[in-house]
Amino acid sequence: MTVQFITEIIQDGAFAAIAAIGFAIISNPPRKAILISALLAAIGHGLRYFLMHTAMPLEIATASFFAAFSIGLLAIPFAKAIHCPAEVFSFPSLLPMIPGMFAYKSILALTQFMQTKDDTASLKYLVEFCHNGATTIFVLFALVVGAAIPVFIFHRQSFTATRLLKKLVKK
């Protein structure tokens, strides 16, 4: 690994952390949860970048799955530590990984497909629509499944934080 590659991973994670802070603030969580969201987003997005740019690169859906899985795994101990549901900071951490560019390109290709009269160009646009649309769907599916698996594996631990919070509120 070169210094430039490590710098790119850190830069990618930093931009994801900034986006996660913005997404986390929307739901008005505790301040600790905002910082944890930023940390988890940086780790997850950096991991996805690493997996997509190594000697044997993974495609975006598989890399997104592993990144979401890591975010889900790390969210559980943080949830227990600050007595806050893991979803409060895992969801904002996942949002920077939503494939907006693929979704945009698929809608753009669909629009161009409907407007063109040329059969060769229309076939090209249809293929672009299918490719980008399928990529969007698979990445979204990978994010959801990757983040949900740790909750199912550590079912008791993932809901301990909310039970503790309910006990504190009742007192």
Side-chain angles (χ1 to χ4, degrees), residues 38-113:
L39 177 67
L40 293 180
I43 291 169
H45 217 283
L47 177 64
R48 182 173 85 164
Y49 186 88
F50 174 77
L51 292 173
M52 290 175 60
H53 296 91
T54 56
M56 291 178 43
L58 296 176
E59 39 76 42
I60 190 168
T62 306
S64 295
F65 170 78
F66 287 118
F69 185 73
S70 69
I71 288 172
L73 279 177
L74 292 171
I76 292 171
F78 281 120
K80 194 170 185 176
I82 68 164
H83 306 294
C84 189
E87 294 81 12
V88 169
F89 39 83
S90 63
F91 291 160
S93 302
L94 291 170
L95 288 176
M97 287 193 277
I98 291 195
M101 187 55 71
F102 287 105
Y104 171 77
K105 286 181 180 179
S106 67
I107 298 302
L108 181 65
L110 180 63
T111 307
Q112 291 171 331
F113 168 74

Side-chain angles (χ1 to χ4, degrees), residues 15 40 53 67 89 97-98 106 123 152 155 166 168-169:
F15 286 128
L40 293 180
H53 296 91
F89 39 83
M97 287 193 277
I98 291 195
S106 67
L123 182 62
F152 291 127
H155 181 72
K166 286 179 184 176
L168 291 172
V169 172

